[in-house]
Amino acid sequence: MIDISASKVVQVIFQAREGHVAAAELSQFIENLNDDEQAHLTAIAWVGRGSFEVEDYAEALATARSEKTTPTADYLMGMPHLAENLEAGLDAMGVDVEGEEEDLL
């Protein structure tokens, strides 16, 4: 279902929580993800903010791919509550976010 490692999503969560301090690093990290990973990252954020249900993840992913009009880093970094949305999205999809966070620390 999710074709991006949870550790990469958690890395984005950590950097997003840092705000402007880590903005350049976050932008670079997202830009370095391949197109498929970027689409999954966007879909996870949409699930987390309630734009799509977990059951509609495939539709969220297809929408992320087909409606991309700006660089993914710009879009996601402009999203209010990005870190919270990603965390909620992973949680909704059954990923142990706390366990992944501990692995990165």
Side-chain angles (χ1 to χ4, degrees):
M1 182 182 264
I2 300 174
D3 197 16
I4 181 174
S5 71
S7 64
K8 288 182 180 181
V9 179
V10 169
Q11 182 68 38
V12 172
I13 291 169
F14 279 156
Q15 290 178 327
R17 286 181 183 152
E18 294 295 319
H20 294 307
V21 173
E25 293 87 358
L26 176 56
S27 179
Q28 188 65 45
F29 185 83
I30 294 170
E31 288 175 10
N32 285 336
L33 297 173
N34 65 44
D35 289 341
D36 201 43
E37 290 172 321
Q38 289 180 15
H40 280 274
L41 190 64
T42 302
I44 292 166
W46 286 345
V47 167
R49 76 174 183 193
S51 298
F52 290 88
E53 297 297 322
V54 173
E55 299 80 26
D56 301 322
Y57 186 76
E59 180 183 349
L61 186 57
T63 302
R65 289 180 174 134
S66 68
E67 295 186 7
K68 181 179 176 179
T69 58
T70 62
T72 302
D74 293 345
Y75 173 74
L76 291 175
M77 291 174 67
M79 180 184 288
H81 313 292
L82 174 60
E84 293 84 357
N85 291 340
L86 288 170
E87 188 168 354
L90 285 178
D91 187 53
M93 300 183 85
V95 175
D96 176 18
V97 178
E98 288 183 21
E100 291 294 331
E101 288 176 343
E102 289 175 8
D103 289 346
L104 283 178
L105 295 177

